[in-house]
Amino acid sequence: MARIKIPKHYLVSEDEDSITVDVPDSILLRWKRDYEKITKAKGILKDKKEAILTHLETLRQEWDE
C-alpha cells in the first residue's frame, strides 16, 4: 500500500472510514504517468528471477567458505 501526501486545501470531507478530496487533473495525470513507469519497471526482472536466486545462493556459499 502506498502513502500519498495531499495538501489540506484539497480536502472536501472526511468521516470515520474515508476522506474525499478534490484533486486537480494535472496532479492525477502526473500520478498516472508515475504509476505507468512503476508498473513497467516491475516486470523488468520478472524473467530473471531464477538467475538472480542462483547468483544469491552462489554468493552465500562463497561467503560461508
Side-chain angles (χ1 to χ4, degrees):
M1 182 181 309
R3 290 186 178 201
I4 58 171
K5 187 175 184 178
I6 301 172
K8 284 186 178 182
H9 63 273
Y10 293 129
L11 180 65
V12 174
S13 66
E14 65 180 298
D15 58 28
E16 281 187 31
D17 298 321
S18 63
I19 61 169
T20 303
V21 293
D22 187 15
V23 182
D25 289 337
S26 60
I27 291 177
L28 294 176
L29 289 173
R30 188 173 358 130
W31 287 348
K32 183 180 177 189
R33 280 194 311 265
D34 291 345
Y35 181 75
E36 288 170 352
K37 289 178 190 174
I38 291 168
T39 55
K40 184 177 178 183
K42 283 175 92 175
I44 290 174
L45 297 176
K46 187 177 182 181
D47 297 332
K48 301 181 188 224
K49 181 179 179 180
E50 192 62 39
I52 292 170
L53 292 175
T54 302
H55 178 69
L56 288 174
E57 186 59 36
T58 302
L59 290 175
R60 287 187 185 116
Q61 290 174 0
E62 290 175 359
W63 183 263
D64 289 339
E65 292 176 359

